[in-house]
Amino acid sequence: MRYRVLGPVHMSPRTPSAAKLRAVLATLLAQCNTVVSTHSLIDELWGAEPPRTATTTLQVYVSQLRKALVAVSGETPAESDPAQPLLTRSPGYLLRVAPGELDLSAFEALRAQGRAAYGRGEYEAASRTLGRALGLWTGPALSGIPHGPALQASAIRLNELRTEVLEQRISADLRLGLHQELIGELMALAHEHPLRETLHGHLMVALYRSGRQSDALRAHQRVRRSLVDELGVEPGPELRGLQERILACDPSLAWRDEPEHRSAPAGGSHGHPPERPVTGAGPTVWLPPAVAGFTGRERELAAGERLLMDDAPGRNKVLLLSGRAGAGKTALAVKLAHGAAGRFPDGRVLVTLRDAAGRAVTSRTALTVLLRRLRGPGAAGAATDSGSEPPPESEAELAELLHRRTAGRRMLLILDDAVSEAQVRPLLSAVPDSTVVLTSRHVLGALQEVERLTLDVLSGPEAEVLLGACGGRRMRDDPKAAGEIARLCGRLPLALRVAAAGLAARPHWTAAGLARRLRDERTRLAALRLGDLDVRGTLLTTYRDVDEEARHAFRVLGLAAPPDFALWSAAALLGTGPAEAERLAEELVQAHLLEARRQPGGRAPVRYGFHALLRSLAVEELDRRCPQERAAAVERLCRAFLALARHADARLTPGRDRLAHRARTEDGISPEPAGFSPEEVVGDAPLRWFQKESAGLSQAVRRAHAAGWWELCCALASASAGYYETGALWDEWESTHGLALDAARRWGDGHAEAVVLRSLGDLAWQRRQTSAAVDRFRRAGELFTRHGDRAAAGRCLSAEADVLLGTGRTAAAERTCARGLSVSRSAGDVRGTAEALRGLALVAVREGRHEEALTRLAECGSAARSVGDRRWAEYAHRTASALRTALQSGGPATATAIPLEVRPGVWLFSPSVPAPRAECAV
């Protein structure tokens, strides 16, 4: 298990995707092995205005985090189990972190070692150790999450420590005589930290020692101007003294060459020997130049270098670099080849396995090209094989000749952009003594005895570094826009280079303007084109590699909601059974047109997702080739969502959805996903299903509304309301139900309008909008009564009573709740009866009638159990237990003042309108 806070917050094996969940993790990591109070965590997540459900929501986050922390085993051990590092400890939680698990601990240890070495005058060891400490950083500390007060303070402290270590490492390098090597780094740092006098002082020394006295003095002028303009102060005495020593050409500032102290700077050159020139007596070198501004890929570079350096007999000498188009496979292969000149004295050659139109070349053509590039005065066998003699005609003879040319020679061959296993097998069998780097947009799973590396997109910090390197100063000066451009390009190296080059080629553009042009998904690919650099064209090459059946699946699956989708969604969109949908999805995964994302511990082991630019291509191609398929596929998906959402809601909040009740009694719409039963998909974890499918469910509501499917829009929103209330997802609740309310009115269905209004009333109540809540409950009740749904009308009365209780009008709340109970019982609505009994119990608690309250809670629990609602049954039991505990420990007065959990997970903190008989709950 590894945790990272020195950059984007990261946890192995999988970092939680939800921002607030990562904020909880970061807060616990910043104070690991100590107890962090619940109040501190709530302040960190919500500030001064936490929601009513803050405590319950935090408990949900902790539960999810505990599952993520042990995702390797697929089980969630009990808290007492040593495998569970996240413990409950009064008054909050404690995260156990072992030595070596947290990058911050390693950083602090290396920082202490480096400082000690520096103090002993061991500057080479200090530079190396401090460089290792800095190498642990991947970006600004604790980035990628919202910061509350504690995280903000921790981030500031850690970033300051990093700068301090950086300054000391540079000081050690200066003492080692590396002034010339440091100038570029120091100029960038001086620009990044215009008021940091120590860094500017280091830059002045490096420039002076490199014979650039005037530049050193200009550096002083720049920092002085920044300090005066920004702070109204002059530079400190150390910087002023350094300026005077430079003006006087103080000999003590000069570097005295001491060879025994010299070493490569941290993170510097690996010491590869220079390449020999391509002459008649030298190696055959046929490589493009290395890509400028190559960024990231440290793990892949290290793995590639290990393979190239391995001389062990019997080891595989074929490295397959696979990944989607534009991932930088060729750039990585070329970089490896340029860095391995000394290992392959007989030659390094690249052959492209596609023609200029992107079509696969034949194996015979590739063999011929490779032989021509190896032929020359310095090639083995030149005396007999070179010259004007034409190559053999047959593929077998070509392979035999290539075998003779490469036998016993230490050569590196790059076979670039392979299309299939059949294309490369003749080439690989012809060069058994050579080391081969093979790149492909396909997995090529049938190849045996190869080392495999899959290239994904760059990390966020790496993508921004690449943009800055290729886009120039305008990109580097606007990090916010650069971050957005990186996100819109999906951090795909080719897209990032095209975007940055486009900015560099247009002096009148700004980085923010480029980001604005890329925001529209419909025109994004068109914007990512510059000359012969065309992201769409590169992606289309892979799309055209697969057959028409797979291309059709690619186009239609582009309609799935991001970030990913389950197999049942694919089956619904494609209108096929699950087996056929899985076959097509896996074919797209093999071609790197789709991603398969493992779901440890989930009911479905895999979900599928698109890279952002591939989704744009899929939607473009669908609209261009078969736009008539869009509506039918989307409707199938929406109806599948409805069937599953209703099933999950019936398990999560049984009997709540009145539109589902109406559909059952009137034989209304009752879809099922193709080939799947809702029980099979949802299982016994309805809340987990909702959490996984929340984005798609919200999109389904929007799509149904946009298409004018009013009944479907209302039904989808109603089926999701219980989940939104359970999870306090206020924004999604409001947006989906706003559309549903409009749909109900356009549909002209007063009953559906009442259902949506009742739900919006609950939302307004949770947001403490008491007037709006009462208005919506009363309007919904009137509509329910008008349409003969007395059960739903009774529930509206109980909901209105909750508002009255929260505003301190206890007597009015009791009267309203009693009316609700009477209506629910007469209508035979057991769920509504449970809601009303719960309201009367809360009133009794506030009035000090504790025995009555306990009786009401027992009746509420019994009613909830009879409809199969475990949440409400447990809530009634939990509330009764809390009341009994308060009576036993503090007597009636204490029991009357206990905090009220008015619904499962929803607490009454305090009355928003004080009244004489109101009690305040915290």
Side-chain angles (χ1 to χ4, degrees), residues 600-908:
R603 188 168 185 82
V606 172
R607 291 175 69 85
Y608 298 97
F610 281 96
H611 183 273
L613 297 180
L614 283 169
R615 176 181 285 105
S616 297
L617 179 66
V619 173
E620 273 190 15
E621 287 296 297
L622 180 66
D623 290 341
R624 187 176 70 84
R625 294 283 304 276
C626 41
Q628 70 280 359
E629 291 189 33
R630 174 188 283 268
V634 168
E635 185 175 7
R636 286 195 300 269
L637 180 62
C638 288
R639 291 186 178 279
F641 260 119
L642 178 59
L644 294 169
R646 279 182 168 171
H647 179 82
D649 183 67
R651 299 292 300 271
L652 184 66
T653 55
R656 183 202 57 79
D657 186 356
R658 298 304 294 173
L659 287 184
H661 173 78
R662 189 176 82 176
R664 287 193 300 271
T665 57
E666 298 178 2
D667 194 25
I669 50 178
S670 55
E672 285 196 6
F676 287 100
S677 71
E679 181 62 41
E680 181 182 353
V681 174
V682 177
D684 58 356
L687 184 59
R688 183 185 303 169
W689 183 86
F690 272 120
Q691 290 168 341
K692 288 290 185 185
E693 305 296 350
S694 180
L697 194 54
S698 297
Q699 187 185 67
V701 174
R702 293 192 296 272
R703 283 174 160 175
H705 185 272
W709 303 327
W710 309 129
E711 180 180 6
L712 192 52
C713 178
C714 294
L716 283 163
S718 180
S720 59
Y723 165 62
Y724 293 147
E725 180 174 4
T726 300
L729 302 173
W730 294 350
D731 293 339
E732 293 92 332
W733 194 350
E734 182 175 39
S735 63
T736 56
H737 281 61
L739 293 174
L741 184 61
D742 177 70
R745 288 168 175 168
R746 288 174 183 245
W747 181 21
D749 190 305
H751 183 263
E753 181 181 353
V755 169
V756 179
L757 278 172
R758 159 66 206 268
S759 183
L760 287 171
D762 286 333
L763 173 61
W765 172 67
Q766 286 208 19
R767 284 179 158 173
R768 306 186 190 185
Q769 299 166 352
T770 54
S771 297
V774 170
D775 289 344
R776 289 169 181 173
F777 288 143
R778 289 176 178 173
R779 175 60 180 158
E782 292 170 2
L783 288 170
F784 280 132
T785 301
R786 186 182 306 167
H787 287 82
D789 192 345
R790 297 184 65 247
R795 296 183 192 180
C796 289
L797 290 170
S798 298
E800 182 183 342
D802 287 338
V803 182
L804 297 172
L805 180 63
T807 56
R809 290 176 284 177
T810 311
E814 185 171 21
R815 289 192 299 273
T816 305
C817 215
R819 288 171 54 209
L821 178 61
S822 175
V823 172
S824 295
R825 280 176 168 167
S826 65
D829 179 21
V830 181
R831 181 179 182 86
T833 298
E835 292 184 14
L837 288 166
R838 178 260 327 164
L840 290 170
L842 298 178
V843 169
V845 171
R846 280 290 179 255
E847 292 290 304
R849 306 193 304 266
H850 302 124
E851 291 302 322
E852 178 187 341
L854 290 171
T855 300
R856 296 291 194 186
L857 286 169
E859 293 173 338
C860 171
S862 176
R865 283 189 295 274
S866 70
V867 295
D869 195 326
R870 290 177 52 192
R871 289 179 65 248
W872 273 70
E874 290 169 359
Y875 156 77
H877 176 74
R878 182 169 63 246
T879 305
S881 296
L883 179 58
R884 290 191 187 95
T885 300
L887 286 168
Q888 293 168 3
S889 61
T894 300
T896 301
I898 63 170
L900 285 183
E901 186 181 3
V902 289
R903 295 183 192 174
V906 182
W907 294 78
L908 179 62

